[in-house]
Amino acid sequence: MSDGIVFADRLLDLLGGHRVTAALYTAVELGVVESLAAGERTVTEVANECSTHAPSTDRLLIALVALGICQSAGPNRYRLTDMGACLANDANHSLRNWALFEGKMLSRSWMGLADSVRSGRTAAELVGAEGGRYGQMHRDPEAASVFDAAMANMTRLVARDLIAAGDFNSAGRILDVGGGAGTLLIEILRACPTTSGSILDLERCEAAARRAIAAAGMQSRASFLTADFFAGLPAGFDTLLLKNVLHNWDDEHCAVLLANCRSALIDAGRVVIAERFLPPRDSSSRSASTALGDLNMLRGPGGRERTEAAYCELVTSAGLHVAHLFPAGRYDLLIATR
Ligand SMILES: C[S@@+](CC[C@H](N)C(=O)[O-])C[C@H]1O[C@@H](n2cnc3c(N)ncnc32)[C@H](O)[C@@H]1O
């Protein structure tokens, strides 16, 4: 019988989880990852390129080897592993911007998680910030661009699974509601050449979305609409896409947004909701990442992660019909019709 030492041992690793985030963030922020992305380097070369203290850089690199981000390439030489390469800016599935978001913004905000659990209020509410989390971003363009770039990383990573499950080839005009800088819409248009669409989001996303549309050469098929999705949605689209939008909001706000979707939707149209469903409370399946995502919603925008049943309830309460439910890699898709 164990005296608990095995559990205490495991717990120590969990307790130090913030160190992992900080080491990865530091490697990205200081340019260590970009230096190694250009090729194998000695410690001195990395330190020179990054203007860092060489012996301390060596200690960071040793930790990065232990975390599977780097590997030794000979005495005092390092290279990125395949996983570490995903932290580089030009990687196919880059999570560089996500690392900056976790390290720069979320880690700091999560230090106050106890205040949110104590009060049920978000970080923005606790400091009396007008307009909630997105209002704060409107006033802090630097934080907003870190957030938008991180969302673009995450969305690009999961786009292939969402597109495969979502059957967008049968769509005509798609409205990506709360589509940020347009990453998902652009990937869908690329994969489904007969479709066109618009990204609808707040003004702060306009410049990044227009740049992304131009960079993809999609000016003739994609546009950006500045609007508040709680005030109503434009008509004329057969597919309304909501990825990682509903989880930002409480049930009352979701009801308004889904009612707006219903009003704007043409008869044969559909609403495609992409979220990560929480397992039901009585299920044995556990997803730490979705459960922690739920705390992130509590602390950040003030929404919540939901079970499949809770999403179905929201959708039917708004007068929509749940037509299909599909798993889509890390995500789940709920297709609703009128
Ligand atoms: C979590 S992000 C998701 C972005 C994008 N759908 C994705 O998954 O990459 C939520 C988006 O909703 C937008 N948003 C928040 N409130 C909004 C509002 N009232 N009207 C329009 N867009 C809003 C935010 O600006 C943000 O881009």
Side-chain angles (χ1 to χ4, degrees), residues 137-325:
M137 278 189 195
H138 180 66
R139 295 183 292 276
D140 184 351
E142 200 196 319
S145 73
V146 171
F147 170 77
D148 291 335
M151 284 310 302
N153 271 184
M154 172 64 82
T155 299
R156 198 166 295 117
L157 183 67
V158 301
R160 195 187 302 163
D161 286 334
L162 296 178
I163 293 168
D167 184 24
F168 293 99
N169 270 312
S170 61
R173 292 190 72 214
I174 303 166
L175 183 65
D176 192 355
V177 180
T183 310
L184 185 55
L185 182 75
I186 289 168
E187 293 297 325
I188 293 172
L189 300 194
R190 212 175 252 141
C192 308
T194 58
T195 57
S196 62
S198 298
I199 302 142
L200 181 147
D201 209 297
L202 302 171
E203 190 187 348
R204 66 174 185 81
C205 294
E206 179 168 0
R210 289 198 188 283
R211 269 197 308 276
I213 290 169
M218 296 265 177
Q219 295 93 325
S220 62
R221 295 170 60 203
S223 61
F224 183 88
L225 305 174
T226 300
D228 171 1
F229 52 44
F230 293 121
L233 295 175
F237 294 88
D238 57 76
T239 302
L240 304 180
L241 184 56
L242 292 163
K243 176 189 163 283
N244 278 152
V245 171
L246 294 176
H247 80 157
N248 280 177
W249 302 99
D250 60 21
D251 288 359
E252 290 70 29
H253 282 88
C254 289
V256 173
L257 177 48
L258 287 168
N260 289 345
C261 289
R262 188 180 186 285
S263 306
L265 200 61
I266 60 168
D267 277 346
R270 54 187 201 141
V271 182
V272 179
I273 295 168
E275 292 286 355
R276 300 178 64 198
F277 297 160
L278 273 175
R281 272 171 199 267
D282 53 3
S283 115
S284 58
S285 106
R286 291 196 202 168
S287 159
S289 124
T290 316
L292 293 171
D294 184 45
L295 290 179
N296 199 35
M297 293 302 110
L298 166 66
R299 180 72 186 150
R304 60 187 318 133
E305 301 297 351
R306 297 178 173 87
T307 60
E308 176 185 301
Y311 275 111
C312 290
E313 170 73 30
L314 276 180
V315 162
T316 47
S317 302
L320 290 160
H321 166 72
V322 177
H324 301 287
L325 291 155

Side-chain angles (χ1 to χ4, degrees), residues 65-105:
V65 169
L67 293 170
I69 299 300
C70 297
Q71 58 193 195
S72 168
N76 283 323
R77 273 184 95 73
Y78 294 92
R79 68 167 77 95
L80 291 175
T81 60
D82 289 345
M83 181 165 73
C86 294
L87 285 172
N89 196 31
D90 286 343
N92 260 347
H93 296 292
S94 176
L95 287 175
R96 175 180 194 274
N97 298 322
W98 195 269
L100 293 174
F101 178 48
E102 288 279 356
K104 231 181 227 177
M105 289 172 61

